[in-house]
Amino acid sequence: MEAPRLAHTMSSPTSPCEEVIKNLSLEAIQLCDRDGNKSQDSGIVEMEELPVPHNIKISNITCDSFKISWDMDSKSKDRITHYFIDLNKKENKNSNKFKHKDVPTKLVAKAVPLPMTVRGHWFLSPRTEYTVAVQTASKQVDGDYVVSEWSEIIEFCTADYSKVHLTQLLEKAEVIAGRMLKLSVFYRNQHKEYFDYIREHHGNAMQPSVKDNSGSHGSPISGKLEGIFFSCNTEFNTGKPPQDSPYGRYRFEITAEKLFNPNTNLYFGDFYCMYTAYHYVILVIAPVGSPGDEFCKQRLPQLNIKDNKFLTCDEEDGVMVYHHAQDVILEVIYTDPVDLSLGTVAEITGHQLMSLSTANAKKDPSCKTCNISVGR
């Protein structure tokens, strides 16, 4: 018995020679696993005459979709009514596919011209390795299936968020950014040993490093963009940086104009929370024409430095004036080296609040404020 059809789980390419896949469903039956083993009363029998898919091809991969095609022998090809697609996260490829008897585990699509597009944020996540195998099947009048053997197993990895997806995140972040407060400095907290190391081994210049995997799983900057993290949030009552920090008791402060000015571009990088009431926004500041600027230009939405909801710089009476959003915590990545001589290093008087650290922090996938309707 077929489960109710799931709209929009599969769609066809836009080519006129390809049909729209309207009849994708998950079937609440036990299918053969990739080794051809069946449970009792599975409703499926093997039939060697059906062609086995081979030479599987995966293309047009996005963060929540991909195209799939394969070759088949012509023998009994006209008897094929359905395709069974076994899609699993790579780390689970050797696990038992039937942990619960009545839980559907395969994608079942009516046979359509290839390639076809598999799409669905409820089972595909960005930047995730998957395995896929395919069977051809023929549905009988009594509702049972005859099936081919499984194809070979193919591995692939879904893509990062595109600019379109990041723009959706950006729009969600804008809703809660709040009013703008003045700022005058960017600051970076670390342990004393970090600054000693910079002086001794890097000629006094802090060097960009690869961003960790904190934030949205599909963020294109995680594990790829090189930069230096700075903060810029201020305390509401003092207008100055807070004295507490999760990253170390020594703070480098630099006037905002030295990092953020008309010769830099500003990009939106991410919006996330860590199972808390407060949210983080990652922004990237890149000197115009720098390698970091070229990286961001291809992947991230660019913001107007004078007019956006998060961080602005504008000239008033010949002086650069800076503002930041009040209701989000801004994490600013600067993509070029920064010499310590451009600012000051001093010990802070507050506490080291490790609970506020975002190092490799996992995003809350259930938060309606900071998630979008694609794979988490």
Side-chain angles (χ1 to χ4, degrees):
M1 177 178 178
E2 291 192 355
R5 294 174 183 176
L6 300 178
H8 308 302
T9 304
M10 282 193 174
S11 62
S12 67
T14 56
S15 171
C17 67
E18 296 168 344
E19 298 177 11
V20 176
I21 303 171
K22 297 180 178 178
N23 297 304
L24 174 72
S25 65
L26 289 178
E27 303 222 353
I29 55 178
Q30 286 190 300
L31 307 180
C32 300
D33 64 21
R34 290 172 176 172
D35 297 321
N37 302 316
K38 303 189 299 297
S39 301
Q40 293 181 352
D41 303 322
S42 67
I44 297 179
V45 294
E46 291 187 46
M47 186 172 181
E48 293 183 356
E49 286 120 358
L50 286 178
V52 179
H54 60 90
N55 194 23
I56 308 295
K57 299 184 183 70
I58 304 293
S59 60
N60 295 80
I61 300 171
T62 72
C63 69
D64 66 344
S65 70
F66 62 92
K67 285 184 179 180
I68 185 169
S69 63
W70 56 84
D71 298 328
M72 290 183 289
D73 296 331
S74 59
K75 182 175 64 174
S76 299
K77 191 173 181 180
D78 58 346
R79 298 185 64 244
I80 298 171
T81 63
H82 289 77
Y83 302 136
F84 293 166
I85 303 174
D86 186 9
L87 181 68
N88 295 276
K89 288 188 178 180
K90 184 176 177 181
E91 59 266 28
N92 298 326
K93 66 179 179 178
N94 294 320
S95 65
N96 180 9
K97 303 297 188 301
F98 307 107
K99 295 179 181 178
H100 305 288
K101 180 177 179 181
D102 296 323
V103 176
T105 57
K106 301 292 181 289
L107 302 176
V108 180
K110 283 194 173 181
V112 296
L114 300 175
M116 64 182 178
T117 299
V118 179
R119 183 186 305 279
H121 75 272
W122 49 273
F123 61 81
L124 282 172
S125 297
R127 198 184 285 202
T128 303
E129 292 185 325
Y130 288 92
T131 65
V132 64
V134 185
Q135 280 179 315
T136 58
S138 177
K139 191 170 185 177
Q140 308 301 293
V141 292
D142 60 0
D144 287 350
Y145 288 86
V146 293
V147 298
S148 72
E149 295 179 359
W150 282 108
S151 71
E152 73 269 30
I153 298 172
I154 300 298
E155 299 180 358
F156 71 99
C157 185
T158 47
D160 298 332
Y161 284 157
S162 67
K163 277 189 180 181
V164 172
H165 299 121
L166 287 172
T167 299
Q168 294 175 20
L169 270 183
L170 166 62
E171 291 169 351
K172 279 181 162 282
E174 289 175 336
V175 171
I176 70 161
R179 71 185 181 113
M180 304 290 278
L181 302 177
K182 278 192 175 183
L183 70 102
S184 59
V185 299
F186 290 101
Y187 54 96
R188 174 174 172 80
N189 283 77
Q190 285 287 342
H191 298 285
K192 181 177 182 296
E193 291 77 13
Y194 167 83
F195 293 110
D196 290 342
Y197 185 86
I198 293 301
R199 295 184 183 99
E200 294 174 13
H201 298 279
H202 290 292
N204 216 45
M206 294 184 291
Q207 300 296 314
S209 60
V210 177
K211 183 194 172 297
D212 66 12
N213 289 314
S214 60
S216 299
H217 190 53
S219 174
I221 62 177
S222 293
K224 297 179 180 179
L225 176 67
E226 294 188 354
I228 305 170
F229 262 109
F230 285 91
S231 299
C232 64
N233 290 80
T234 59
E235 292 182 322
F236 179 77
N237 56 341
T238 66
K240 296 181 179 180
Q243 282 300 305
D244 299 325
S245 168
Y247 301 111
R249 296 188 57 81
Y250 282 77
R251 173 173 293 170
F252 172 74
E253 284 191 9
I254 184 170
T255 56
E257 188 172 357
K258 291 180 180 177
L259 296 187
F260 187 34
N261 53 63
N263 294 319
T264 57
N265 284 327
L266 181 67
Y267 298 91
F268 172 84
D270 200 4
F271 176 46
Y272 70 100
C273 72
M274 303 178 295
Y275 303 89
T276 58
Y278 43 89
H279 282 78
Y280 295 83
V281 169
I282 298 180
L283 303 175
V284 183
I285 297 175
V288 174
S290 66
D293 188 36
E294 293 304 314
F295 177 95
C296 295
K297 192 173 295 183
Q298 299 174 33
R299 297 168 177 84
L300 306 181
Q302 186 171 347
L303 303 177
N304 184 335
I305 64 172
K306 295 182 179 181
D307 183 20
N308 67 80
K309 299 290 186 180
F310 311 109
L311 181 66
T312 61
C313 79
D314 202 358
E315 188 174 338
E316 296 180 9
D317 300 325
V319 178
M320 298 302 296
V321 179
Y322 296 85
H323 291 85
H324 71 88
Q326 172 186 346
D327 294 335
V328 293
I329 300 175
L330 296 180
E331 297 181 302
V332 179
I333 300 176
Y334 187 77
T335 62
D336 273 11
V338 177
D339 199 290
L340 295 179
S341 65
L342 296 176
T344 59
V345 177
E347 187 173 5
I348 60 174
T349 59
H351 303 287
Q352 187 170 338
L353 304 176
M354 295 307 296
S355 62
L356 294 180
S357 173
T358 61
N360 289 307
K362 300 303 180 184
K363 180 175 182 175
D364 179 0
S366 65
C367 178
K368 291 181 173 58
T369 301
C370 62
N371 281 293
I372 55 178
S373 58
V374 295
R376 302 295 183 245

